[in-house]
Amino acid sequence: MKRNYSGSLFVTTCLLVFCFFVSCHRNEVAVLAPASPAPKNDSILPPQDLLTIVGCGDILLGMNWPDDSPVLPVDDGIHLFDSVRFIIENADIAFGNLEGVLLDTGGIPKPTPPPPTPCYRFRMPERYVAHLLNAGFDVVSVANNHVSDFGPEARQRTIDILDSVGLAHAGSFVQKYCIVERGGIKYGVCAFSANAACVSLLDEVGAQKLIREVKPQCDVLIVSIHAGNEGVNYRHVPFESEYGSPEPIGNVHHFCHACVDAGADIIFGHGPHVARAVELYKDRLIAYSLGNFCTPYGMSLKSSCGVAPLLEVSVARDGSFVKGQIHPIYQQWGKGPRLDPQRRVITEIQELITEDFPKTPLQIFDDGKIVKKK
């Protein structure tokens, strides 16, 4: 039975609802300072024909090694992703690079190198896998230089934990690729690194063969690469092979183009711990490095190492690029990623794309929107 409201009560109720909506909206948009918006793109497909993929760089949620002096986040890390969870959850599929192993105790730490070379060993509590699920991640890469920090047993334990909670992964010899289905769309993910026990990006022919094998099994194919020298001196794509003390770590530009030639639709790079430029090649988006995303301990967060893009990419159902959005984040020691009011990484990527890829048909606006130039 419907209730009878007086006219005044009804109007009052409407005003309260309106004020609540305005208040919430103001709180939401006040996160970032005003910026020049991108113009409307009339060529963008209807929302129902767009697929939204979110990608981020390195994730190291805390460290429980050494055993006698762990460094773990406040409240055991349950709030690390609070500021950016809504972006990750709203994606059709979300990807990140798991920079380390999930292991409570034990493992065989890799040998300590001779001075002055520092030794980094990244081991996270096994229960922290829940933080990735709660944040909305669908798939992670385990192809990186820290997946073997504590030996093969720790590497396998990490894979077993991911499997036990249904978090997809790619890049190991155990599972070179994965297929994740969301909303009736199949997303393939391949992951490559120049490191031991990972699917190698130094074997370009083998990488192309794998991509050609996976492509027919999915609608959109995402490729992850962990490659590049590390630090603020390596923000630019070098267009040649890189070497790291003294092992080769690949020519990322040539490798990424080879991946697209073989069928990759999106490439998410990480490894240098700083953001690098983005490029559009054959109508496919390549992000050469997404930097440090959630690394509250164990890594430098100074200067460019402390800002990064949370990259949102919208593609057509054939995988071709339609539009993108850089959500700029920053970190401070002991805290997770938060939206950056200064939008520093957007400015950095604008500069990098101008210097590294001046002919790419991409334009990045001050608010982070990425469009194809007309």
Side-chain angles (χ1 to χ4, degrees):
M1 181 178 179
K2 295 181 179 179
R3 298 185 181 184
N4 293 319
Y5 292 92
S6 67
S8 60
L9 178 58
F10 178 77
V11 172
T12 301
T13 303
C14 290
L15 286 173
L16 289 172
V17 171
F18 176 76
C19 291
F20 176 78
F21 173 80
V22 171
S23 175
C24 291
H25 180 66
R26 284 177 177 172
N27 288 337
E28 178 182 351
V29 300
V31 174
L32 296 178
S36 301
K40 291 183 179 181
N41 187 344
D42 295 333
S43 66
I44 290 176
L45 299 172
Q48 65 270 20
D49 293 327
L50 287 178
L51 306 175
T52 301
I53 298 96
V54 163
C56 69
D58 295 340
I59 299 173
L60 173 66
L61 303 176
M63 299 188 295
N64 61 356
W65 189 91
D67 295 312
D68 58 352
S69 56
V71 185
L72 300 176
V74 175
D75 294 329
D76 209 31
I78 62 174
H79 299 296
L80 283 174
F81 295 106
D82 281 0
S83 296
V84 294
R85 180 177 287 110
F86 73 99
I87 300 169
I88 302 170
E89 287 180 334
N90 287 335
D92 292 313
I93 188 168
F95 163 88
N97 173 60
L98 187 60
E99 186 82 335
V101 298
L102 295 164
L103 186 69
D104 284 340
T105 60
I108 305 172
K110 64 183 178 184
T112 301
T117 304
C119 183
Y120 299 100
R121 305 180 184 95
F122 297 152
R123 192 184 75 184
M124 294 166 272
E126 296 176 7
R127 62 186 179 278
Y128 279 17
V129 71
H131 302 335
L132 298 172
L133 289 174
N134 292 336
F137 285 100
D138 300 283
V139 58
V140 295
S141 169
V142 294
N144 55 63
N145 57 317
H146 290 286
V147 72
S148 297
D149 278 0
F150 289 83
E153 293 82 7
R155 187 172 60 243
Q156 183 60 52
R157 178 61 179 159
T158 300
I159 291 171
D160 291 343
I161 292 169
L162 294 172
D163 286 339
S164 71
V165 299
L167 185 54
H169 56 87
S172 68
F173 291 154
V174 175
Q175 187 163 308
K176 295 182 178 181
Y177 69 92
C178 63
I179 305 289
V180 180
E181 185 170 352
R182 295 287 186 269
I185 302 296
K186 292 182 178 180
Y187 301 88
V189 181
C190 298
F192 303 94
S193 174
N195 306 102
C198 303
V199 182
S200 180
L201 60 76
L202 300 178
D203 179 9
E204 189 174 291
V205 173
Q208 287 188 310
K209 181 180 178 181
L210 179 62
I211 290 170
R212 291 190 180 103
E213 175 187 342
V214 178
K215 181 64 176 179
Q217 304 178 49
C218 60
D219 299 291
V220 176
L221 179 55
I222 301 164
V223 165
S224 159
I225 63 162
H226 195 81
N229 281 308
E230 301 177 2
V232 295
N233 294 327
Y234 299 100
R235 295 165 60 240
H236 290 279
V237 177
F239 301 99
E240 61 184 11
S241 295
E242 296 178 82
Y243 295 85
S245 303
E247 298 86 356
I249 50 181
N251 182 325
V252 294
H253 179 256
H254 194 275
F255 182 81
C256 287
H257 280 215
C259 288
V260 173
D261 291 341
D265 295 308
I266 300 173
I267 298 181
F268 292 135
H270 35 82
H273 301 296
V274 290
R276 283 182 169 180
V278 295
E279 179 193 15
L280 196 66
Y281 173 67
K282 292 186 175 179
D283 222 19
R284 266 60 183 174
L285 188 74
I286 301 172
Y288 282 94
S289 177
L290 298 175
N292 294 326
F293 177 63
C294 187
T295 55
Y297 304 105
M299 295 185 190
S300 171
L301 298 177
K302 296 179 180 179
S303 184
S304 297
C305 295
V307 297
L310 178 56
L311 185 59
E312 180 181 325
V313 185
S314 295
V315 301
R317 290 178 180 256
D318 66 353
S320 59
F321 175 81
V322 177
K323 62 178 180 177
Q325 177 70 50
I326 296 173
H327 300 280
I329 67 99
Y330 76 105
Q331 291 189 88
Q332 293 176 322
W333 183 261
K335 298 179 181 179
R338 290 169 289 173
L339 292 174
D340 182 9
Q342 300 179 51
R343 295 182 171 93
R344 285 165 288 185
V345 79
I346 295 176
T347 301
E348 288 193 6
I349 295 177
Q350 286 173 324
E351 295 171 354
L352 290 168
I353 195 174
T354 299
E355 296 173 13
D356 291 355
F357 299 102
K359 296 182 179 180
T360 192
L362 288 179
Q363 185 169 4
I364 301 176
F365 290 87
D366 291 346
D367 61 359
K369 286 185 174 62
I370 308 174
V371 299
K372 289 188 287 188
K373 298 176 184 176
K374 292 185 177 180

